[in-house]
PDB file of all heavy atoms in Angstrom:
ATOM      1  N   ILE A 261      -9.813  11.952  -2.892  1.00 77.00           N
ATOM      2  CA  ILE A 261      -8.951  13.064  -2.498  1.00 77.00           C
ATOM      3  C   ILE A 261      -7.611  12.537  -1.996  1.00 77.00           C
ATOM      4  O   ILE A 261      -6.547  13.067  -2.333  1.00 77.00           O
ATOM      5  CB  ILE A 261      -9.630  13.928  -1.423  1.00 77.00           C
ATOM      6  CG1 ILE A 261     -10.827  14.685  -2.031  1.00 77.00           C
ATOM      7  CG2 ILE A 261      -8.640  14.924  -0.814  1.00 77.00           C
ATOM      8  CD1 ILE A 261     -11.666  15.425  -1.014  1.00 77.00           C
ATOM      9  N   GLY A 262      -7.642  11.487  -1.187  1.00 79.00           N
ATOM     10  CA  GLY A 262      -6.402  10.911  -0.678  1.00 79.00           C
ATOM     11  C   GLY A 262      -5.482  10.460  -1.795  1.00 79.00           C
ATOM     12  O   GLY A 262      -4.274  10.718  -1.776  1.00 79.00           O
ATOM     13  N   LEU A 263      -6.033   9.785  -2.789  1.00 79.00           N
ATOM     14  CA  LEU A 263      -5.232   9.333  -3.916  1.00 79.00           C
ATOM     15  C   LEU A 263      -4.766  10.510  -4.769  1.00 79.00           C
ATOM     16  O   LEU A 263      -3.648  10.512  -5.287  1.00 79.00           O
ATOM     17  CB  LEU A 263      -6.034   8.344  -4.769  1.00 79.00           C
ATOM     18  CG  LEU A 263      -6.382   7.027  -4.079  1.00 79.00           C
ATOM     19  CD1 LEU A 263      -7.362   6.226  -4.921  1.00 79.00           C
ATOM     20  CD2 LEU A 263      -5.132   6.199  -3.795  1.00 79.00           C
ATOM     21  N   GLU A 264      -5.629  11.516  -4.901  1.00 77.00           N
ATOM     22  CA  GLU A 264      -5.277  12.662  -5.740  1.00 77.00           C
ATOM     23  C   GLU A 264      -4.097  13.439  -5.183  1.00 77.00           C
ATOM     24  O   GLU A 264      -3.273  13.965  -5.938  1.00 77.00           O
ATOM     25  CB  GLU A 264      -6.481  13.596  -5.904  1.00 77.00           C
ATOM     26  CG  GLU A 264      -6.209  14.772  -6.825  1.00 77.00           C
ATOM     27  CD  GLU A 264      -7.444  15.608  -7.076  1.00 77.00           C
ATOM     28  OE1 GLU A 264      -8.541  15.186  -6.694  1.00 77.00           O
ATOM     29  OE2 GLU A 264      -7.294  16.700  -7.658  1.00 77.00           O
ATOM     30  N   VAL A 265      -3.987  13.544  -3.861  1.00 79.00           N
ATOM     31  CA  VAL A 265      -2.893  14.321  -3.282  1.00 79.00           C
ATOM     32  C   VAL A 265      -1.619  13.492  -3.121  1.00 79.00           C
ATOM     33  O   VAL A 265      -0.616  13.999  -2.618  1.00 79.00           O
ATOM     34  CB  VAL A 265      -3.281  14.947  -1.923  1.00 79.00           C
ATOM     35  CG1 VAL A 265      -4.416  15.922  -2.104  1.00 79.00           C
ATOM     36  CG2 VAL A 265      -3.621  13.879  -0.895  1.00 79.00           C
ATOM     37  N   GLY A 266      -1.644  12.227  -3.551  1.00 84.00           N
ATOM     38  CA  GLY A 266      -0.391  11.501  -3.616  1.00 84.00           C
ATOM     39  C   GLY A 266      -0.296  10.201  -2.859  1.00 84.00           C
ATOM     40  O   GLY A 266       0.757   9.558  -2.869  1.00 84.00           O
ATOM     41  N   ALA A 267      -1.362   9.757  -2.193  1.00 88.00           N
ATOM     42  CA  ALA A 267      -1.301   8.464  -1.504  1.00 88.00           C
ATOM     43  C   ALA A 267      -1.218   7.330  -2.521  1.00 88.00           C
ATOM     44  O   ALA A 267      -1.783   7.414  -3.614  1.00 88.00           O
ATOM     45  CB  ALA A 267      -2.522   8.274  -0.608  1.00 88.00           C
ATOM     46  N   ASP A 268      -0.511   6.276  -2.160  1.00 88.00           N
ATOM     47  CA  ASP A 268      -0.394   5.109  -3.039  1.00 88.00           C
ATOM     48  C   ASP A 268      -1.509   4.097  -2.797  1.00 88.00           C
ATOM     49  O   ASP A 268      -1.839   3.323  -3.683  1.00 88.00           O
ATOM     50  CB  ASP A 268       0.958   4.424  -2.812  1.00 88.00           C
ATOM     51  CG  ASP A 268       2.116   5.308  -3.215  1.00 88.00           C
ATOM     52  OD1 ASP A 268       2.290   5.524  -4.423  1.00 88.00           O
ATOM     53  OD2 ASP A 268       2.831   5.808  -2.328  1.00 88.00           O
ATOM     54  N   ASP A 269      -2.076   4.103  -1.601  1.00 89.00           N
ATOM     55  CA  ASP A 269      -3.134   3.151  -1.275  1.00 89.00           C
ATOM     56  C   ASP A 269      -3.991   3.749  -0.165  1.00 89.00           C
ATOM     57  O   ASP A 269      -3.581   4.712   0.506  1.00 89.00           O
ATOM     58  CB  ASP A 269      -2.540   1.810  -0.834  1.00 89.00           C
ATOM     59  CG  ASP A 269      -3.500   0.643  -1.041  1.00 89.00           C
ATOM     60  OD1 ASP A 269      -4.692   0.891  -1.299  1.00 89.00           O
ATOM     61  OD2 ASP A 269      -3.043  -0.509  -0.935  1.00 89.00           O
ATOM     62  N   TYR A 270      -5.185   3.183   0.029  1.00 89.00           N
ATOM     63  CA  TYR A 270      -6.147   3.704   1.011  1.00 89.00           C
ATOM     64  C   TYR A 270      -6.783   2.517   1.701  1.00 89.00           C
ATOM     65  O   TYR A 270      -7.416   1.678   1.056  1.00 89.00           O
ATOM     66  CB  TYR A 270      -7.203   4.553   0.303  1.00 89.00           C
ATOM     67  CG  TYR A 270      -8.053   5.419   1.211  1.00 89.00           C
ATOM     68  CD1 TYR A 270      -7.893   6.800   1.220  1.00 89.00           C
ATOM     69  CD2 TYR A 270      -9.038   4.870   2.024  1.00 89.00           C
ATOM     70  CE1 TYR A 270      -8.673   7.615   2.027  1.00 89.00           C
ATOM     71  CE2 TYR A 270      -9.825   5.672   2.835  1.00 89.00           C
ATOM     72  CZ  TYR A 270      -9.641   7.048   2.831  1.00 89.00           C
ATOM     73  OH  TYR A 270     -10.420   7.862   3.633  1.00 89.00           O
ATOM     74  N   LEU A 271      -6.607   2.444   3.000  1.00 89.00           N
ATOM     75  CA  LEU A 271      -7.121   1.331   3.789  1.00 89.00           C
ATOM     76  C   LEU A 271      -8.110   1.866   4.818  1.00 89.00           C
ATOM     77  O   LEU A 271      -7.799   2.811   5.548  1.00 89.00           O
ATOM     78  CB  LEU A 271      -5.956   0.630   4.490  1.00 89.00           C
ATOM     79  CG  LEU A 271      -6.206  -0.701   5.193  1.00 89.00           C
ATOM     80  CD1 LEU A 271      -6.769  -1.726   4.211  1.00 89.00           C
ATOM     81  CD2 LEU A 271      -4.907  -1.214   5.792  1.00 89.00           C
ATOM     82  N   VAL A 272      -9.312   1.276   4.846  1.00 88.00           N
ATOM     83  CA  VAL A 272     -10.380   1.773   5.715  1.00 88.00           C
ATOM     84  C   VAL A 272     -10.371   1.039   7.054  1.00 88.00           C
ATOM     85  O   VAL A 272     -10.283  -0.194   7.102  1.00 88.00           O
ATOM     86  CB  VAL A 272     -11.748   1.609   5.028  1.00 88.00           C
ATOM     87  CG1 VAL A 272     -12.874   2.013   5.971  1.00 88.00           C
ATOM     88  CG2 VAL A 272     -11.808   2.448   3.754  1.00 88.00           C
ATOM     89  N   LYS A 273     -10.454   1.806   8.142  1.00 88.00           N
ATOM     90  CA  LYS A 273     -10.598   1.219   9.473  1.00 88.00           C
ATOM     91  C   LYS A 273     -12.040   0.745   9.677  1.00 88.00           C
ATOM     92  O   LYS A 273     -12.967   1.393   9.187  1.00 88.00           O
ATOM     93  CB  LYS A 273     -10.273   2.259  10.547  1.00 88.00           C
ATOM     94  CG  LYS A 273      -8.849   2.755  10.552  1.00 88.00           C
ATOM     95  CD  LYS A 273      -8.701   3.827  11.631  1.00 88.00           C
ATOM     96  CE  LYS A 273      -7.298   4.386  11.696  1.00 88.00           C
ATOM     97  NZ  LYS A 273      -7.176   5.457  12.725  1.00 88.00           N
ATOM     98  N   PRO A 274     -12.277  -0.325  10.424  1.00 87.00           N
ATOM     99  CA  PRO A 274     -11.272  -1.240  10.962  1.00 87.00           C
ATOM    100  C   PRO A 274     -10.732  -2.152   9.860  1.00 87.00           C
ATOM    101  O   PRO A 274     -11.433  -2.450   8.885  1.00 87.00           O
ATOM    102  CB  PRO A 274     -12.047  -2.033  12.008  1.00 87.00           C
ATOM    103  CG  PRO A 274     -13.454  -2.038  11.494  1.00 87.00           C
ATOM    104  CD  PRO A 274     -13.650  -0.714  10.810  1.00 87.00           C
ATOM    105  N   PHE A 275      -9.506  -2.578  10.008  1.00 87.00           N
ATOM    106  CA  PHE A 275      -8.866  -3.432   9.014  1.00 87.00           C
ATOM    107  C   PHE A 275      -8.073  -4.497   9.753  1.00 87.00           C
ATOM    108  O   PHE A 275      -7.771  -4.366  10.939  1.00 87.00           O
ATOM    109  CB  PHE A 275      -7.941  -2.619   8.106  1.00 87.00           C
ATOM    110  CG  PHE A 275      -6.863  -1.895   8.876  1.00 87.00           C
ATOM    111  CD1 PHE A 275      -5.628  -2.481   9.085  1.00 87.00           C
ATOM    112  CD2 PHE A 275      -7.093  -0.633   9.397  1.00 87.00           C
ATOM    113  CE1 PHE A 275      -4.646  -1.822   9.805  1.00 87.00           C
ATOM    114  CE2 PHE A 275      -6.114   0.043  10.106  1.00 87.00           C
ATOM    115  CZ  PHE A 275      -4.884  -0.561  10.320  1.00 87.00           C
ATOM    116  N   SER A 276      -7.731  -5.545   9.033  1.00 89.00           N
ATOM    117  CA  SER A 276      -6.926  -6.602   9.641  1.00 89.00           C
ATOM    118  C   SER A 276      -5.448  -6.310   9.408  1.00 89.00           C
ATOM    119  O   SER A 276      -5.072  -5.715   8.390  1.00 89.00           O
ATOM    120  CB  SER A 276      -7.286  -7.967   9.050  1.00 89.00           C
ATOM    121  OG  SER A 276      -6.797  -8.086   7.725  1.00 89.00           O
ATOM    122  N   MET A 277      -4.619  -6.722  10.346  1.00 91.00           N
ATOM    123  CA  MET A 277      -3.179  -6.548  10.191  1.00 91.00           C
ATOM    124  C   MET A 277      -2.657  -7.337   9.001  1.00 91.00           C
ATOM    125  O   MET A 277      -1.713  -6.928   8.324  1.00 91.00           O
ATOM    126  CB  MET A 277      -2.454  -6.971  11.468  1.00 91.00           C
ATOM    127  CG  MET A 277      -2.646  -6.020  12.630  1.00 91.00           C
ATOM    128  SD  MET A 277      -1.915  -4.373  12.309  1.00 91.00           S
ATOM    129  CE  MET A 277      -3.406  -3.366  12.366  1.00 91.00           C
ATOM    130  N   ARG A 278      -3.302  -8.459   8.704  1.00 90.00           N
ATOM    131  CA  ARG A 278      -2.877  -9.248   7.543  1.00 90.00           C
ATOM    132  C   ARG A 278      -3.119  -8.480   6.244  1.00 90.00           C
ATOM    133  O   ARG A 278      -2.319  -8.564   5.320  1.00 90.00           O
ATOM    134  CB  ARG A 278      -3.627 -10.578   7.513  1.00 90.00           C
ATOM    135  CG  ARG A 278      -3.229 -11.535   8.638  1.00 90.00           C
ATOM    136  CD  ARG A 278      -3.959 -12.861   8.531  1.00 90.00           C
ATOM    137  NE  ARG A 278      -3.630 -13.560   7.306  1.00 90.00           N
ATOM    138  CZ  ARG A 278      -4.192 -14.718   6.934  1.00 90.00           C
ATOM    139  NH1 ARG A 278      -5.120 -15.280   7.704  1.00 90.00           N
ATOM    140  NH2 ARG A 278      -3.831 -15.301   5.815  1.00 90.00           N
ATOM    141  N   GLU A 279      -4.226  -7.731   6.191  1.00 90.00           N
ATOM    142  CA  GLU A 279      -4.486  -6.942   4.983  1.00 90.00           C
ATOM    143  C   GLU A 279      -3.444  -5.835   4.836  1.00 90.00           C
ATOM    144  O   GLU A 279      -2.928  -5.597   3.743  1.00 90.00           O
ATOM    145  CB  GLU A 279      -5.883  -6.338   5.012  1.00 90.00           C
ATOM    146  CG  GLU A 279      -6.205  -5.530   3.755  1.00 90.00           C
ATOM    147  CD  GLU A 279      -7.607  -4.945   3.743  1.00 90.00           C
ATOM    148  OE1 GLU A 279      -8.308  -5.050   4.771  1.00 90.00           O
ATOM    149  OE2 GLU A 279      -7.984  -4.380   2.701  1.00 90.00           O
ATOM    150  N   LEU A 280      -3.131  -5.147   5.935  1.00 92.00           N
ATOM    151  CA  LEU A 280      -2.104  -4.117   5.868  1.00 92.00           C
ATOM    152  C   LEU A 280      -0.769  -4.716   5.458  1.00 92.00           C
ATOM    153  O   LEU A 280      -0.051  -4.150   4.621  1.00 92.00           O
ATOM    154  CB  LEU A 280      -1.970  -3.422   7.224  1.00 92.00           C
ATOM    155  CG  LEU A 280      -0.855  -2.376   7.335  1.00 92.00           C
ATOM    156  CD1 LEU A 280      -1.045  -1.257   6.316  1.00 92.00           C
ATOM    157  CD2 LEU A 280      -0.796  -1.808   8.749  1.00 92.00           C
ATOM    158  N   GLN A 281      -0.430  -5.855   6.024  1.00 91.00           N
ATOM    159  CA  GLN A 281       0.811  -6.524   5.675  1.00 91.00           C
ATOM    160  C   GLN A 281       0.863  -6.842   4.183  1.00 91.00           C
ATOM    161  O   GLN A 281       1.886  -6.633   3.513  1.00 91.00           O
ATOM    162  CB  GLN A 281       0.964  -7.815   6.486  1.00 91.00           C
ATOM    163  CG  GLN A 281       2.260  -8.565   6.243  1.00 91.00           C
ATOM    164  CD  GLN A 281       2.339  -9.832   7.078  1.00 91.00           C
ATOM    165  OE1 GLN A 281       1.317 -10.454   7.398  1.00 91.00           O
ATOM    166  NE2 GLN A 281       3.529 -10.214   7.467  1.00 91.00           N
ATOM    167  N   ALA A 282      -0.264  -7.319   3.618  1.00 89.00           N
ATOM    168  CA  ALA A 282      -0.318  -7.664   2.199  1.00 89.00           C
ATOM    169  C   ALA A 282      -0.163  -6.424   1.329  1.00 89.00           C
ATOM    170  O   ALA A 282       0.516  -6.455   0.293  1.00 89.00           O
ATOM    171  CB  ALA A 282      -1.629  -8.372   1.889  1.00 89.00           C
ATOM    172  N   ARG A 283      -0.769  -5.329   1.752  1.00 89.00           N
ATOM    173  CA  ARG A 283      -0.691  -4.110   0.942  1.00 89.00           C
ATOM    174  C   ARG A 283       0.708  -3.506   0.979  1.00 89.00           C
ATOM    175  O   ARG A 283       1.199  -3.003  -0.038  1.00 89.00           O
ATOM    176  CB  ARG A 283      -1.734  -3.111   1.416  1.00 89.00           C
ATOM    177  CG  ARG A 283      -3.157  -3.598   1.194  1.00 89.00           C
ATOM    178  CD  ARG A 283      -4.158  -2.476   1.283  1.00 89.00           C
ATOM    179  NE  ARG A 283      -5.516  -2.972   1.147  1.00 89.00           N
ATOM    180  CZ  ARG A 283      -6.499  -2.260   0.624  1.00 89.00           C
ATOM    181  NH1 ARG A 283      -6.280  -1.043   0.180  1.00 89.00           N
ATOM    182  NH2 ARG A 283      -7.710  -2.762   0.550  1.00 89.00           N
ATOM    183  N   VAL A 284       1.344  -3.549   2.136  1.00 91.00           N
ATOM    184  CA  VAL A 284       2.723  -3.068   2.221  1.00 91.00           C
ATOM    185  C   VAL A 284       3.629  -3.926   1.340  1.00 91.00           C
ATOM    186  O   VAL A 284       4.459  -3.411   0.585  1.00 91.00           O
ATOM    187  CB  VAL A 284       3.217  -3.085   3.682  1.00 91.00           C
ATOM    188  CG1 VAL A 284       4.714  -2.820   3.751  1.00 91.00           C
ATOM    189  CG2 VAL A 284       2.460  -2.053   4.503  1.00 91.00           C
ATOM    190  N   ALA A 285       3.458  -5.237   1.416  1.00 89.00           N
ATOM    191  CA  ALA A 285       4.269  -6.140   0.601  1.00 89.00           C
ATOM    192  C   ALA A 285       4.063  -5.870  -0.884  1.00 89.00           C
ATOM    193  O   ALA A 285       5.025  -5.882  -1.672  1.00 89.00           O
ATOM    194  CB  ALA A 285       3.931  -7.590   0.933  1.00 89.00           C
ATOM    195  N   ALA A 286       2.810  -5.601  -1.288  1.00 86.00           N
ATOM    196  CA  ALA A 286       2.525  -5.320  -2.692  1.00 86.00           C
ATOM    197  C   ALA A 286       3.225  -4.051  -3.156  1.00 86.00           C
ATOM    198  O   ALA A 286       3.784  -3.995  -4.256  1.00 86.00           O
ATOM    199  CB  ALA A 286       1.021  -5.202  -2.905  1.00 86.00           C
ATOM    200  N   LEU A 287       3.229  -3.012  -2.316  1.00 87.00           N
ATOM    201  CA  LEU A 287       3.910  -1.773  -2.685  1.00 87.00           C
ATOM    202  C   LEU A 287       5.400  -1.994  -2.890  1.00 87.00           C
ATOM    203  O   LEU A 287       5.987  -1.500  -3.860  1.00 87.00           O
ATOM    204  CB  LEU A 287       3.691  -0.716  -1.602  1.00 87.00           C
ATOM    205  CG  LEU A 287       2.302  -0.083  -1.512  1.00 87.00           C
ATOM    206  CD1 LEU A 287       2.238   0.878  -0.330  1.00 87.00           C
ATOM    207  CD2 LEU A 287       1.944   0.647  -2.797  1.00 87.00           C
ATOM    208  N   PHE A 288       6.018  -2.774  -2.008  1.00 86.00           N
ATOM    209  CA  PHE A 288       7.457  -2.951  -2.085  1.00 86.00           C
ATOM    210  C   PHE A 288       7.872  -3.986  -3.122  1.00 86.00           C
ATOM    211  O   PHE A 288       9.075  -4.176  -3.345  1.00 86.00           O
ATOM    212  CB  PHE A 288       8.030  -3.290  -0.706  1.00 86.00           C
ATOM    213  CG  PHE A 288       8.213  -2.086   0.157  1.00 86.00           C
ATOM    214  CD1 PHE A 288       7.179  -1.637   0.970  1.00 86.00           C
ATOM    215  CD2 PHE A 288       9.385  -1.357   0.123  1.00 86.00           C
ATOM    216  CE1 PHE A 288       7.325  -0.504   1.758  1.00 86.00           C
ATOM    217  CE2 PHE A 288       9.542  -0.222   0.900  1.00 86.00           C
ATOM    218  CZ  PHE A 288       8.511   0.215   1.719  1.00 86.00           C
ATOM    219  N   ARG A 289       6.903  -4.627  -3.763  1.00 80.00           N
ATOM    220  CA  ARG A 289       7.244  -5.487  -4.901  1.00 80.00           C
ATOM    221  C   ARG A 289       7.386  -4.687  -6.177  1.00 80.00           C
ATOM    222  O   ARG A 289       7.798  -5.222  -7.207  1.00 80.00           O
ATOM    223  CB  ARG A 289       6.185  -6.581  -5.083  1.00 80.00           C
ATOM    224  CG  ARG A 289       6.325  -7.729  -4.091  1.00 80.00           C
ATOM    225  CD  ARG A 289       5.573  -8.964  -4.567  1.00 80.00           C
ATOM    226  NE  ARG A 289       4.137  -8.716  -4.683  1.00 80.00           N
ATOM    227  CZ  ARG A 289       3.267  -8.929  -3.709  1.00 80.00           C
ATOM    228  NH1 ARG A 289       3.681  -9.356  -2.530  1.00 80.00           N
ATOM    229  NH2 ARG A 289       1.974  -8.712  -3.898  1.00 80.00           N
ATOM    230  N   ARG A 290       7.033  -3.411  -6.144  1.00 67.00           N
ATOM    231  CA  ARG A 290       7.215  -2.580  -7.336  1.00 67.00           C
ATOM    232  C   ARG A 290       8.700  -2.366  -7.594  1.00 67.00           C
ATOM    233  O   ARG A 290       9.483  -2.256  -6.660  1.00 67.00           O
ATOM    234  CB  ARG A 290       6.568  -1.216  -7.152  1.00 67.00           C
ATOM    235  CG  ARG A 290       5.087  -1.234  -6.933  1.00 67.00           C
ATOM    236  CD  ARG A 290       4.584   0.193  -6.978  1.00 67.00           C
ATOM    237  NE  ARG A 290       3.268   0.313  -6.389  1.00 67.00           N
ATOM    238  CZ  ARG A 290       2.631   1.463  -6.256  1.00 67.00           C
ATOM    239  NH1 ARG A 290       3.203   2.569  -6.642  1.00 67.00           N
ATOM    240  NH2 ARG A 290       1.430   1.505  -5.721  1.00 67.00           N
ATOM    241  N   PRO A 291       9.097  -2.262  -8.872  1.00 53.00           N
ATOM    242  CA  PRO A 291      10.503  -1.972  -9.152  1.00 53.00           C
ATOM    243  C   PRO A 291      10.872  -0.590  -8.642  1.00 53.00           C
ATOM    244  O   PRO A 291      10.159   0.375  -8.840  1.00 53.00           O
ATOM    245  CB  PRO A 291      10.582  -2.030 -10.686  1.00 53.00           C
ATOM    246  CG  PRO A 291       9.189  -1.790 -11.149  1.00 53.00           C
ATOM    247  CD  PRO A 291       8.301  -2.385 -10.095  1.00 53.00           C
ATOM    248  N   ARG A 292      12.031  -0.497  -7.954  1.00 48.00           N
ATOM    249  CA  ARG A 292      12.457   0.776  -7.385  1.00 48.00           C
ATOM    250  C   ARG A 292      13.764   1.261  -7.988  1.00 48.00           C
ATOM    251  O   ARG A 292      14.219   2.350  -7.684  1.00 48.00           O
ATOM    252  CB  ARG A 292      12.622   0.648  -5.873  1.00 48.00           C
ATOM    253  CG  ARG A 292      11.367   0.190  -5.183  1.00 48.00           C
ATOM    254  CD  ARG A 292      11.478   0.323  -3.695  1.00 48.00           C
ATOM    255  NE  ARG A 292      11.510   1.723  -3.309  1.00 48.00           N
ATOM    256  CZ  ARG A 292      11.676   2.119  -2.049  1.00 48.00           C
ATOM    257  NH1 ARG A 292      11.855   1.238  -1.102  1.00 48.00           N
ATOM    258  NH2 ARG A 292      11.680   3.395  -1.754  1.00 48.00           N
ATOM    259  N   SER A 293      14.424   0.458  -8.805  1.00 41.00           N
ATOM    260  CA  SER A 293      15.684   0.873  -9.410  1.00 41.00           C
ATOM    261  C   SER A 293      15.568   0.822 -10.913  1.00 41.00           C
ATOM    262  O   SER A 293      14.692   0.194 -11.479  1.00 41.00           O
ATOM    263  CB  SER A 293      16.824  -0.052  -8.964  1.00 41.00           C
ATOM    264  OG  SER A 293      16.654  -1.344  -9.522  1.00 41.00           O
ATOM    265  N   SER A 294      16.492   1.480 -11.592  1.00 37.00           N
ATOM    266  CA  SER A 294      16.461   1.498 -13.055  1.00 37.00           C
ATOM    267  C   SER A 294      16.680   0.102 -13.619  1.00 37.00           C
ATOM    268  O   SER A 294      16.099  -0.272 -14.630  1.00 37.00           O
ATOM    269  CB  SER A 294      17.529   2.458 -13.591  1.00 37.00           C
ATOM    270  OG  SER A 294      18.809   2.080 -13.119  1.00 37.00           O
ATOM    271  N   ASP A 295      17.521  -0.716 -12.958  1.00 37.00           N
ATOM    272  CA  ASP A 295      17.757  -2.059 -13.464  1.00 37.00           C
ATOM    273  C   ASP A 295      16.497  -2.894 -13.399  1.00 37.00           C
ATOM    274  O   ASP A 295      16.160  -3.614 -14.336  1.00 37.00           O
ATOM    275  CB  ASP A 295      18.850  -2.747 -12.648  1.00 37.00           C
ATOM    276  CG  ASP A 295      20.213  -2.134 -12.909  1.00 37.00           C
ATOM    277  OD1 ASP A 295      20.353  -1.440 -13.929  1.00 37.00           O
ATOM    278  OD2 ASP A 295      21.120  -2.331 -12.079  1.00 37.00           O
ATOM    279  N   ALA A 296      15.783  -2.791 -12.261  1.00 40.00           N
ATOM    280  CA  ALA A 296      14.539  -3.553 -12.126  1.00 40.00           C
ATOM    281  C   ALA A 296      13.530  -3.076 -13.137  1.00 40.00           C
ATOM    282  O   ALA A 296      12.813  -3.857 -13.747  1.00 40.00           O
ATOM    283  CB  ALA A 296      13.981  -3.413 -10.714  1.00 40.00           C
TER     284      ALA A 296
END
């Protein structure tokens, strides 16, 4: 349901800060401009 309504990722508690950091970094490695 979370993914269906538009979430890009789903992280289950409890989680490590390193895992959250890795997932955020992965999202922002996606191309965001037309040139990329």
Side-chain angles (χ1 to χ4, degrees):
I261 291 173
L263 295 171
E264 183 175 350
V265 297
D268 295 290
D269 204 348
Y270 194 109
L271 190 58
V272 175
K273 296 177 180 178
F275 58 92
S276 72
M277 289 295 117
R278 291 182 62 184
E279 181 179 7
L280 176 59
Q281 183 180 30
R283 295 197 183 210
V284 170
L287 287 177
F288 280 89
R289 282 198 298 269
R290 298 188 197 177
R292 303 191 69 184
S293 69
S294 57
D295 290 342

